[in-house]
Amino acid sequence: MTHTPAPGESAATVLERISDQFADISHRFTAISDDMTALRGVLDTTDTPPASATQAHPATQAPRYTQAPQFTPPPPAAPAPPFVAPGHPIAPPVTPPPVTPHLIPPRLIPPRLIPPGPTMRPVSPYPMPPVAPRPYAPYPTHRVRPSAAPKRSVSDRISSAAERGLIGKLLAGAGVAITLVGVVLLLVLAAQAGLLRPELRVAGGAMLAAILVGVGVWIGRDAGKRSGASALVATGIAAALFDALAITTIYHWAPDYVSLILAAAIAAGGLGVARWWDSQTLALMVGVPVLVFAPIITGGVDAVLVGFMLCVAASALWIQLGRNWTALFAVNTAATTVPLLFVIADGHHYRTDDIRWFFVLALMLNVLLALGSTLALLRSSSRPLLITLIAMASVVPMLGAEYLAGDVVAAMMLAATALTVIVLTFVSGTVRGVTHAVRTVWLTSASVTAAAALIAILDGRGILIGLAGIGLVVAVAACVTTEFALPMRIIATVFTAVALFASLPFGALNRLLVNSSLTVTEQAQLVIVAAVSLAAVAVLTWSWSQNRPEAELHTIGTVGALISLGLVTEICVGLGGALSGGSDSGFRAGHAVATIVWVATAAAGLVWARHRSGPVRTLTVTVSLAVIAAAVAKLFLFDLAALDGLFRVIAFIVVGLLLLSLGVVYAQSLNSTDGRRTAAHT
């Protein structure tokens, strides 16, 4: 309702009318509140159950509303005193009646009138009917894969590869290979067919090499174009190397050493571009073709090819300093090692006096070059272990040097190599890049090389003595060192095990069961093998038991004791056969002595354990009792049938007396201990 002020109506009149309207609105709100209170009373009367029902079912009482916090609306602000115009009467202000707070359900209270506080919630008077659970819709077990990207066509892939530069690299690599094939054909097939004059072939090859290198270096001034420029430079360098090799091998214009010096100069100078551009790819594009095509120019593996490969690899070492170029080192090592493998495999063609010593020297130089390159490159390599393994592959041709240089020379070469690697292992601890894994590889390689030296100079049972000796020496070294204790234990265990298992086919097992027909020398050799192996087993048992838990100590001690029992028996029987000339009496005497030694060793262990405590005492007692049990079993199961006459009597009497004495000693020890405990208690 809009009231338009009359003309000439004053501001006081307007304010008075507004005050009356506010009073009217207040009265209306009061009337609405009274009506709602009356409605609540009617609802309470209708929904209230009988008293009996309420008492019988306390859980189903009439719904009650928790009393809402009484809300007293703030008193309206006093109206400003009206403006009294001259000549107008002042009407008294109308004060609205106070609003009485009522209990109003929360749902019926206007949101703006609900004061902050706890919310009123009705309590249900009747039990709620069971609500059926909603059906569970499990998540799908399969993953929703995104829609596959549309397949790219072949042309799109080729276009992307071209943008990444892959196509250019493939084309450049193919160009290098094809161009070098052409150079080889020019130098070899043209010479065989008589095409062109030799001077033209050599000059043409040299001119092509110079042009390719010059154009490549000129294009490579721009760093973004060096990918293609590297192919040009690599092709030129490889062509120059082939040209230098052809001067000696095809045309024989100069001595062999002239070709080798020229090749070394070309490799050292030309590959400097690879270091300048920091491009391992360029160096690889020279090394791989040289490895593949050089034997074609030389007509096979000969002294010139071996020397050529060594010179190129040595000249290319300087460009790798400070670079992490593992692939180039692998290619260079293969280039020097693979020809030597062919030489060893077909050694009877190279055993003439004029070139045999050259190949012996080449084998040594190859190993020294690999070891020196390793020390130089480990400083900047991120893969020191891989570098070391690649370098030690150079030792492989030397393992077959016996077929080329003879037994003595091969043994000396292998022994010198093993000694060099061992010295390098122990003096390179402070060299940057030489890790513990690298030195472990060197130590293992030295052990294998030493074994190869023994195999080259010894034969038959002498090899077994050498292997057992290496096992004993390395086992003793493992006890006095801490840095390489574990790898030395493993190496010693392997060599000792190889010596023991290899001795079985030579009669070591057969003579334990029956009196074999071995000669005195063969018996003595097997006794030496068993004695050295027994010492190695004893040292290894003690070494492996250091800083081990008690459960492992029992296992290590038991295994060592069983192996030692077998070796002691082998020594006794072998000595009996050797001293008696292989007669039956020596065989029986050896077994009788072996049984007595078993029991005597176990008795000594039990007596020694009386003065010890802790895990050492427990281990010694356990092993000693196991040895006694094994000796008694051998006495009744084998000696009773195999021995006869005096040896059987001696074995039973001596073993019985030892066990009887041991029982008396332990009984006295127990009584004295009990007496001391009783005296201490009183």
Side-chain angles (χ1 to χ4, degrees), residues 48 61 69 80 268 277 315 358 407 426 455 525 568 631 638 667:
T48 303
Q61 295 179 359
W277 290 352
S315 302
F358 172 80
D407 300 343
F426 287 97
I455 295 174
Q525 288 176 343
V568 167
F638 182 82

Side-chain angles (χ1 to χ4, degrees), residues 31-57:
I32 292 173
S33 177
D34 294 337
D35 293 339
M36 293 177 65
T37 303
L39 178 60
R40 176 178 176 277
V42 173
L43 292 175
D44 291 343
T45 305
T46 304
D47 297 336
T48 303
S52 59
T54 304
Q55 296 175 359
H57 302 281

Side-chain angles (χ1 to χ4, degrees), residues 512-525:
L512 291 178
L513 303 177
V514 295
N515 186 21
S516 58
S517 58
L518 297 176
T519 63
V520 175
T521 302
E522 294 172 345
Q523 295 272 15
Q525 288 176 343

Side-chain angles (χ1 to χ4, degrees), residues 538-554:
V539 176
L540 285 173
T541 302
W542 180 85
S543 179
W544 280 112
S545 61
Q546 298 300 308
N547 301 324
R548 295 286 179 176
E550 187 173 356
E552 295 183 7
L553 287 178
H554 293 167

Side-chain angles (χ1 to χ4, degrees), residues 266-624:
I266 293 173
L271 291 177
V273 181
R275 182 176 178 85
W276 176 25
W277 290 352
D278 195 14
S279 175
Q280 181 180 203
T281 305
L282 192 158
L284 289 175
M285 285 191 291
V286 174
V288 174
V290 167
L291 176 61
V292 175
F293 295 125
I296 299 176
I297 296 177
T298 58
V301 179
D302 57 4
V304 177
L305 178 65
V306 172
F308 175 79
M309 292 297 188
L310 287 172
C311 290
V312 172
S315 302
L317 176 60
W318 78 274
I319 71 167
Q320 305 173 57
L321 299 178
R323 301 289 191 269
N324 187 19
W325 291 356
T326 306
L328 180 60
F329 178 71
V331 170
N332 289 339
T333 305
T336 58
T337 305
V338 172
L340 292 174
L341 287 175
F342 280 95
V343 171
I344 296 300
D346 197 11
H348 64 279
H349 288 164
Y350 304 95
R351 296 194 66 173
T352 58
D353 293 336
D354 55 342
I355 62 174
R356 183 180 62 172
W357 294 109
F358 172 80
F359 287 121
V360 171
L361 180 62
L363 289 172
M364 296 296 297
L365 289 177
N366 185 37
V367 174
L368 293 177
L369 177 61
L371 292 176
S373 301
T374 303
L375 290 176
L377 300 180
L378 284 178
R379 297 174 178 271
S380 57
S381 176
S382 62
R383 300 174 180 176
L385 184 59
L386 182 58
I387 289 286
T388 307
L389 292 174
I390 294 172
M392 296 315 300
S394 62
V395 183
V396 175
M398 191 178 292
L399 300 179
E402 176 186 358
Y403 303 100
L404 178 68
D407 300 343
V408 178
V409 175
M412 294 175 61
M413 292 170 55
L414 292 168
T417 303
L419 182 61
T420 302
V421 176
I422 290 176
V423 172
L424 184 63
T425 301
F426 287 97
V427 302
S428 61
T430 59
V431 178
R432 189 179 66 182
V434 179
T435 62
H436 185 271
V438 169
R439 300 168 70 190
T440 302
V441 171
W442 284 340
L443 185 62
T444 306
S445 302
S447 303
V448 175
T449 308
L454 293 176
I455 295 174
I457 198 171
L458 300 175
D459 59 352
R461 295 172 181 83
I463 297 177
L464 303 180
I465 298 175
L467 295 178
I470 293 178
L472 177 59
V473 172
V474 178
V476 173
C479 297
V480 298
T481 184
T482 56
E483 187 176 6
F484 296 101
L486 180 59
M488 282 187 173
R489 288 186 201 129
I490 296 175
I491 293 172
T493 303
V494 170
F495 275 95
T496 305
V498 170
L500 290 178
F501 283 105
S503 65
L504 298 180
F506 286 94
L509 180 62
N510 187 32
R511 69 173 181 170
L512 291 178
L513 303 177
V514 295
N515 186 21
S516 58
S517 58
L518 297 176
T519 63
V520 175
T521 302
E522 294 172 345
Q523 295 272 15
Q525 288 176 343
L526 290 178
V527 169
I528 295 175
V529 173
V532 177
S533 299
L534 178 61
V537 169
V539 176
L540 285 173
T541 302
W542 180 85
S543 179
W544 280 112
S545 61
Q546 298 300 308
N547 301 324
R548 295 286 179 176
E550 187 173 356
E552 295 183 7
L553 287 178
H554 293 167
T555 303
I556 295 172
T558 303
V559 173
L562 293 177
I563 298 175
S564 300
L565 289 179
L567 292 175
V568 167
T569 305
E570 186 177 350
I571 292 172
C572 294
V573 175
L575 285 176
L579 295 177
S580 63
S583 62
D584 292 339
S585 59
F587 171 76
R588 297 188 181 95
H591 272 288
V593 173
T595 305
I596 295 172
V597 170
W598 285 20
V599 179
T601 304
L606 289 175
V607 173
W608 181 79
R610 292 174 54 196
H611 307 286
R612 297 294 181 270
S613 61
V616 176
R617 174 188 175 90
T618 304
L619 177 63
T620 306
V621 171
T622 303
V623 174
S624 300

Side-chain angles (χ1 to χ4, degrees), residues 40-194:
R40 176 178 176 277
V42 173
L43 292 175
D44 291 343
T45 305
T46 304
D47 297 336
T48 303
S52 59
T54 304
Q55 296 175 359
H57 302 281
T60 59
Q61 295 179 359
R64 300 181 181 275
Y65 294 92
T66 58
Q67 183 175 354
Q70 295 184 358
F71 171 69
T72 303
F83 175 75
V84 181
H88 291 275
I90 299 176
V94 180
T95 303
V99 180
T100 306
H102 300 280
L103 297 178
I104 305 175
R107 296 182 181 177
L108 300 180
I109 299 177
R112 296 183 179 179
L113 299 180
I114 297 179
T119 307
M120 299 169 54
R121 296 183 178 179
V123 181
S124 175
Y126 303 105
M128 297 295 293
V131 180
R134 296 182 180 179
Y136 173 72
Y139 290 100
T141 55
H142 64 278
R143 294 183 178 180
V144 180
R145 297 182 178 178
S147 57
K151 294 184 178 180
R152 303 174 62 188
S153 61
V154 178
S155 59
D156 292 340
R157 296 180 181 178
I158 295 176
S159 177
S160 300
E163 293 177 358
R164 296 194 306 267
L166 179 61
I167 300 298
K169 293 179 181 178
L170 292 177
L171 293 176
V176 171
I178 294 174
T179 304
L180 292 178
V181 169
V183 172
V184 172
L185 294 177
L186 174 66
L187 296 174
V188 178
L189 297 183
Q192 294 176 357

